[in-house]
């Protein structure tokens, strides 16, 4: 199994505390944050990782090299300009040899059962499966809705502050859908998933309640450091 790790963003909100490296390479003790993410992937049998890199991407390659020292095979897809999430997937897709690939953000850590995405996609014939998570206020994000495992709404805006489910940011995407992504700067969340839904593509998912954090702001970066120290997140 293969995965694309999206690590090409500029990380502007974290630059006040992490200014010398890409955000996913922010240090957690002596290890970069992204090493925790890759370890989750290898634990679930993912043996090949394509790093979609941009800003200071060579720092990622200098650290992980061919991946052999970390239990996987690594390759690198460089962006010469910001391509957006779907554009980065399209660019990295040339290095994908399977008919499906996991895709996730390198600056988030989410404990899930990756095999469940694969089982759901295979059993239901979905073109893409994804993880949703529960939040106390969907108005801050945009609601994603499932009905019997099938995605029926995505990035649905609401002004009402109430609990609900939102995009968890981990996907298993078929080669067929990746081939449909146009060249250039394209957003998976704002362009492609809404388009695929409107076209009636078979998109599914499940709600997961595992540990989740996005280190995009200093407070959450420091929270993850503390959670590692306290054993909430184990190596």
């Amino acid at each position: 199994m293969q995965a694309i790790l999206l690590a090409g963003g500029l990380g502007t909100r974290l630059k006040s505390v992490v200014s010398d490296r890409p955000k996913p390479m922010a240090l957690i003790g002596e290890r970069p944050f992204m090493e925790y993410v890759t370890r989750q992937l290898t634990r679930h049998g993912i043996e090949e990782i394509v790093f979609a890199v941009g800003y200071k991407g060579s720092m990622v390659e200098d650290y992980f090299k061919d991946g052999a020292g970390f239990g996987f095979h690594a390759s690198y897809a460089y962006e010469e300009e910001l391509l957006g999430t779907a554009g980065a997937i399209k660019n990295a897709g040339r290095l994908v040899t399977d008919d499906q690939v996991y895709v996730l953000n390198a600056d988030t850590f989410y404990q899930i059962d990756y095999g469940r995405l694969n089982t759901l996609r295979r059993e239901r014939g979905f073109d893409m499966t994804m993880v949703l998570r529960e939040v106390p206020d969907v108005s801050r994000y945009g609601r994603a809705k499932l009905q019997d495992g099938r995605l029926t709404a995505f990035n649905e805006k609401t002004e009402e502050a109430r609990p609900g489910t939102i995009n968890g940011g981990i996907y298993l995407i078929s080669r067929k859908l990746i081939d449909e992504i146009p060249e250039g700067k394209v957003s998976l969340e704002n362009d492609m998933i809404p388009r695929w839904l409107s076209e009636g593509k078979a998109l599914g998912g499940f709600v997961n309640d595992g540990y989740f954090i996005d280190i995009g702001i200093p407070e959450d970066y420091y929270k993850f450091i503390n959670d590692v120290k306290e054993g909430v997140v184990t190596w």
Side-chain angles (χ1 to χ4, degrees):
M1 293 296 294
Q2 295 177 293
I4 296 172
L5 262 180
L6 301 174
L10 295 177
T12 52
R13 293 179 300 166
L14 200 62
K15 277 191 174 180
S16 62
V17 293
V18 180
S19 60
D20 63 337
R21 62 191 59 225
K23 180 170 54 170
M25 295 298 288
L27 289 176
I28 310 297
E30 297 181 351
R31 295 185 176 95
F33 176 83
M34 190 154 51
E35 191 174 346
Y36 285 85
V37 180
T38 61
R39 192 168 175 86
Q40 280 287 301
L41 293 173
T42 58
R43 280 175 175 163
H44 287 87
I46 295 166
E47 300 173 340
E48 297 184 41
I49 298 176
V50 181
F51 292 94
V53 293
Y55 172 71
K56 294 187 177 180
S58 60
M59 185 177 287
V60 178
E61 187 167 2
D62 288 345
Y63 185 82
F64 288 102
K65 299 181 172 61
D66 65 0
F70 301 91
F72 58 87
H73 175 267
S75 55
Y76 301 85
Y78 283 83
E79 300 177 23
E80 295 183 4
E81 57 185 2
L82 290 176
L83 296 175
T85 45
I89 294 166
K90 179 77 170 183
N91 185 53
R94 59 189 171 80
L95 299 173
V96 172
T97 55
D98 293 344
D99 64 357
Q100 60 181 8
V101 63
Y102 292 101
V103 176
L104 60 156
N105 296 310
D107 57 0
T108 61
F109 182 87
Y110 198 3
Q111 291 180 327
I112 73 160
D113 178 358
Y114 285 84
R116 189 175 172 189
L117 284 172
N118 190 27
T119 299
L120 182 63
R121 180 172 179 260
R122 186 179 65 250
E123 291 182 348
R124 298 286 298 274
F126 288 130
D127 296 313
M128 182 186 83
T129 48
M130 61 183 294
V131 179
L132 275 61
R133 64 186 186 95
E134 293 266 6
V135 294
D137 181 6
V138 292
S139 67
R140 293 180 55 202
Y141 305 93
R143 181 171 50 183
K145 293 166 61 178
L146 295 170
Q147 184 172 347
D148 188 29
R150 189 178 183 109
L151 190 69
T152 57
F154 188 80
N155 266 2
E156 187 177 73
K157 302 304 179 185
T158 175
E159 295 181 359
E160 183 182 356
R162 60 188 176 95
T165 51
I166 64 169
N167 179 17
I170 299 180
Y171 316 89
L172 181 60
I173 307 178
S174 68
R175 160 63 65 183
K176 179 176 73 173
L177 288 189
I178 292 175
D179 289 343
E180 292 185 9
I181 299 172
E183 300 289 342
K185 187 174 183 178
V186 190
S187 168
L188 181 66
E189 301 85 353
N190 297 323
D191 299 323
M192 298 313 302
I193 293 178
R195 183 181 120 182
W196 290 331
L197 267 181
S198 69
E199 293 173 348
K201 294 288 195 301
L203 312 179
F206 64 88
V207 180
N208 181 70
D209 62 358
Y211 177 95
F212 174 90
I213 199 162
D214 177 339
I215 62 161
I217 59 174
E219 292 82 358
D220 287 333
Y221 170 52
Y222 291 128
K223 181 180 187 304
F224 188 76
I225 291 173
N226 187 66
D227 286 347
V228 170
K229 287 180 179 177
E230 297 294 326
V232 177
V233 176
T234 58
W235 179 249

